[in-house]
Amino acid sequence: MDGNGRWAQNRGRNRSYGHQCGEKPVREVVETACHLNIGTLTLFAFSSDNWMRPSDEVTSLMHLFKSFLKLERWKCRSHGVRINVIGRRDRLGPSLREAVEAAERFTSGCRRMHLRIAVDYSARDSILEAVSLGRLGASPTRREFSSLLNLAIHSDPPAPDVDLLIRTGDTQRLSDFMLWECAYAEMIFVHGMWPDFRGRDLTKALEEFNQRERRFGRISCPPHKITGHRA
Ligand code: IPE
Ligand code: MG
């Protein structure tokens, strides 16, 4: 969800204002994803490298996460959305950790969609963490490694690989997001900044995804559409 800071600065406002305005698209995207029958939606909210930002920006982001979790858990539960914060937890403040755990508990019975919010997340660190769990045999399979990776990032339930990655903010890079899980992800890069992203933009991206032929290294593959089934 890239571009909040630039969006605000282009309007003569501070970066934290941009993050506040990034909440509306989050709510829209969660609602739209639910309607589109998406099984897992992961939002990259805060990367482990984002700790290097000025402390007032980090503090305002942490406040936003906390109030989002406290408020949205009600709506999420009523829509069958299971909230799950992925990434490291040990560096989050105690009140945010409490809010994370409360939101997860509160929505743990929801089955319609798995909403993963990545906070203090780094794909490379998650790979290192999975390895350091010490449960890998001498020659692990991809499936075994994936399940350890899910464990390392606290993904509950474990999630499948990424089918579609959408990045806003006019930037074409992965920035340490799901490096293992994106092995065959389709990527869509959006020119606009995150605060301008709307539910209909997600619908459009899914339409484009559904036009693409995914071959997974083969010559051809049965069509793999997101809409209409759980993906
Ligand atoms: C939001 O966009 C993503 C977060 C890390 C919270 P940015 O804060 O990266 O905005 P830009 O890229 O500086 O415009
Ligand atoms: Mg950015």
Side-chain angles (χ1 to χ4, degrees):
M1 303 183 286
D2 194 22
N4 293 347
R6 281 166 288 160
W7 184 91
Q9 282 164 332
N10 289 340
R11 285 159 178 78
R13 307 291 296 261
N14 65 25
R15 298 177 52 85
S16 297
Y17 175 71
H19 297 312
Q20 281 166 34
C21 295
E23 266 199 53
K24 183 183 157 88
V26 167
R27 279 192 289 267
E28 277 203 20
V29 160
V30 171
E31 252 170 56
T32 306
C34 243
H35 289 136
L36 291 168
N37 255 346
I38 286 170
T40 307
L41 174 70
T42 305
L43 302 172
F44 196 6
F46 189 86
S47 93
S48 296
D49 291 328
N50 289 151
W51 291 114
M52 290 184 282
R53 292 187 176 198
S55 65
D56 60 330
E57 183 175 345
V58 171
T59 305
S60 79
L61 278 165
M62 295 301 151
H63 273 117
L64 270 180
F65 299 148
K66 197 163 40 182
S67 67
F68 180 87
L69 290 166
K70 284 186 170 169
L71 256 160
E72 295 299 310
R73 63 185 187 151
W74 298 91
K75 208 165 93 195
C76 281
R77 189 160 82 169
S78 69
H79 286 91
V81 175
R82 180 168 182 175
I83 297 175
N84 178 204
V85 173
I86 58 166
R88 279 180 69 158
R89 293 188 175 192
D90 55 309
R91 297 190 291 198
L92 305 181
S95 61
L96 176 56
R97 256 179 96 152
E98 244 166 60
V100 167
E101 285 160 12
E104 290 182 334
R105 257 197 322 271
F106 193 68
T107 59
S108 62
C110 297
R111 295 287 176 267
R112 187 168 174 197
M113 186 173 82
H114 182 195
L115 170 63
R116 300 196 304 176
I117 306 168
V119 178
D120 197 1
Y121 173 84
S122 150
R124 290 191 295 191
D125 288 351
S126 74
I127 291 168
L128 292 175
E129 175 67 17
V131 171
S132 71
L133 289 174
R135 298 193 203 168
L136 285 172
S139 43
T141 63
R142 291 174 179 178
R143 185 188 287 265
E144 284 164 353
F145 189 73
S146 293
S147 89
L148 275 184
L149 207 44
N150 273 298
L151 200 64
I153 61 175
H154 306 103
S155 181
D156 186 20
D161 280 351
V162 175
D163 286 312
L164 168 62
L165 178 138
I166 303 170
R167 180 169 185 157
T168 57
D170 213 4
T171 305
Q172 305 194 355
R173 53 176 169 254
L174 277 178
S175 301
D176 204 10
F177 183 69
M178 304 262 146
L179 299 179
W180 169 275
E181 299 89 330
C182 280
Y184 279 101
E186 294 295 328
M187 299 189 186
I188 293 183
F189 295 100
V190 177
H191 289 298
M193 303 293 131
W194 176 253
D196 291 325
F197 197 81
R198 289 292 168 268
R200 63 177 173 275
D201 296 310
L202 177 64
T203 308
K204 246 176 39 203
L206 281 197
E207 282 165 9
E208 184 179 334
F209 172 88
N210 284 333
Q211 297 303 315
R212 295 193 185 176
E213 190 196 11
R214 305 183 75 195
R215 292 190 294 272
F216 299 93
R218 303 178 185 116
I219 293 174
S220 70
C221 230
H224 184 95
K225 311 277 186 227
I226 281 186
T227 309
H229 76 205
R230 298 269 153 176

